[in-house]
Structures are given as structure tokens and as C-alpha cells.
Amino acid sequence: MMILSVLACSLLDAPEPAAREAFYALRDGNLESFEARVDMDAVVPQAFEGCTRITLLEDWGERAAAPNQGLRELGRTLGRGLLNSAVESAGPELVADARAGFGSKPISELCPAIQPGDVLRASFDVNGNLATGQLPIVAWGVETHVDAAMTKNDQGWHIVGLDFDKAIAEIKTGLEQPTP
């Protein structure tokens, strides 16, 4: 019995259950539970930026097949800079809007370009009170993951950062592949 108790405590003390709790709270529109597992001030602007960048990839395969034009590359670079500036300046407003509208839309409408993957496949590497891991997503038909950072404090594990860069690179590659 003691071994089962130790095993149960160690599983509950892992970041994966906390990530699942965050997902279920988002799905169910439970702001209090969501904020218990997610640093909204840090994560909401990152999620907004990631959603915007991935949404803009819709026709990536067609654009990638076209001859490379310097003006198009300049436009992408400027667009990324404008997006970063907009996210930085609107960060507090984004978070306030996210809190005010929390639970008013189903997950599928929060960012239609990105759908959550199998939350049971989320995985994390733990190093003391820090964890880095992968949250599965599907975007434009490509299965990938968002890199996530978590920290542990007295209340448990919290998602404190999202990085969409690797996911975007994988989505671009997937969209460049010819469809069978």
C-alpha cells in the first residue's frame, strides 16, 4: 500500500497532470482552474502571437512553391516585426480580454488554425523545479507540438511559457509536401 501511495504522489507531482488540468480547464471554461495551472500574463501574448503566425501559414505550400521574391521576404520580415510590436504593446489588453471572455467560446474557435492534439501525449523533462516539454497540436493538417516551459512552486506545476518556433517550422515543412 505504501508503494502505491508513493507512486500516486510522484505521478501527481509531475508536470503532465498539471498540463492536462490546464487543458481541461480551458475546454470547460473554468478560469480559476486554468489560472491555477497557467501564468496567463506570460502565456496569453505568446499564444496570441503563435496563433497569428500559424494562421498566416494557411497557403504556405503554394507560396513556397512559387519563385522566391525579395519583396515577399521583406513583407514577411516586416510583418513579423509588426506582430511582435503589437503583441508587446497590447499584452496587458490581450490578457484582460482573455480573462473577460474565458469560456465564452469552445476551444475550436479560440484559434481555428490550431486544434489541440492528444493531451495524453504531452510530455515533459523535469530538472528540479523546471520542466520543458511538448504540447501536441494539429495545424493545417500537420501534427506537431508547441514547446512549453513549466515551473513548480508550493501550488504545483504551472505553464509559464510557450514557444511556437519549432511547430511553425514543422508546419511549413508539412505544407510544402505534395498532397497524395
Side-chain angles (χ1 to χ4, degrees), residues 31-44:
L31 178 61
E32 185 177 333
S33 293
F34 188 75
E35 286 194 291
R37 294 294 176 208
V38 177
D39 178 348
M40 287 185 68
D41 293 321
V43 171
V44 167

Side-chain angles (χ1 to χ4, degrees), residues 51-63:
C51 174
T52 303
R53 290 173 60 203
I54 289 174
T55 299
L56 295 173
L57 294 177
E58 181 176 16
D59 62 348
W60 180 263
E62 295 168 15
R63 287 186 283 156

Side-chain angles (χ1 to χ4, degrees), residues 3 7 11 23 39 57-58 69 78 101 110-111 127-128 175:
I3 293 174
L7 181 59
L11 288 175
F23 169 77
D39 178 348
L57 294 177
E58 181 176 16
Q69 299 174 357
L78 289 173
L110 294 175
C111 181
N127 185 5
L175 292 173

